[in-house]
Amino acid sequence: MQKAGAVFLSEQGCGYASLLVMTGPHRGDVWEDLRPMDRGIEPTGHDFAHWYRRWLERTERQLAT
């Protein structure tokens, strides 16, 4: 899935997705696609580095169990 100027990062469940903005003033920021609950696409307030560290920590915890 790709929106103009953004790429898909991950599925969050229930049709929600994380998107990485690739162009424009929000380049490098992660936004959430919340259209399944009629909220549109909203900024998370985090950049890709923050999103990736959180994803990596969750993945490491899941693999440890």
Side-chain angles (χ1 to χ4, degrees), residues 1-8 19-23 29 31 41:
M1 172 173 130
Q2 183 170 345
K3 299 295 171 204
V7 295
F8 174 85
L19 306 172
L20 174 61
V21 179
M22 301 298 288
T23 62
D29 293 341
W31 289 49
I41 300 174

Side-chain angles (χ1 to χ4, degrees), residues 7-38:
V7 295
F8 174 85
L9 288 176
S10 71
E11 174 68 32
Q12 301 299 327
C14 297
Y16 310 135
S18 294
L19 306 172
L20 174 61
V21 179
M22 301 298 288
T23 62
H26 298 287
R27 180 179 178 192
D29 293 341
V30 177
W31 289 49
E32 298 293 325
D33 184 349
L34 305 173
R35 289 177 293 176
M37 61 186 215
D38 296 326

Side-chain angles (χ1 to χ4, degrees), residues 20 28-30 46-56:
L20 174 61
D29 293 341
V30 177
H46 301 293
D47 63 8
F48 177 73
H50 179 269
W51 179 90
Y52 182 73
R53 284 190 303 270
R54 282 186 25 215
W55 174 85
L56 189 57

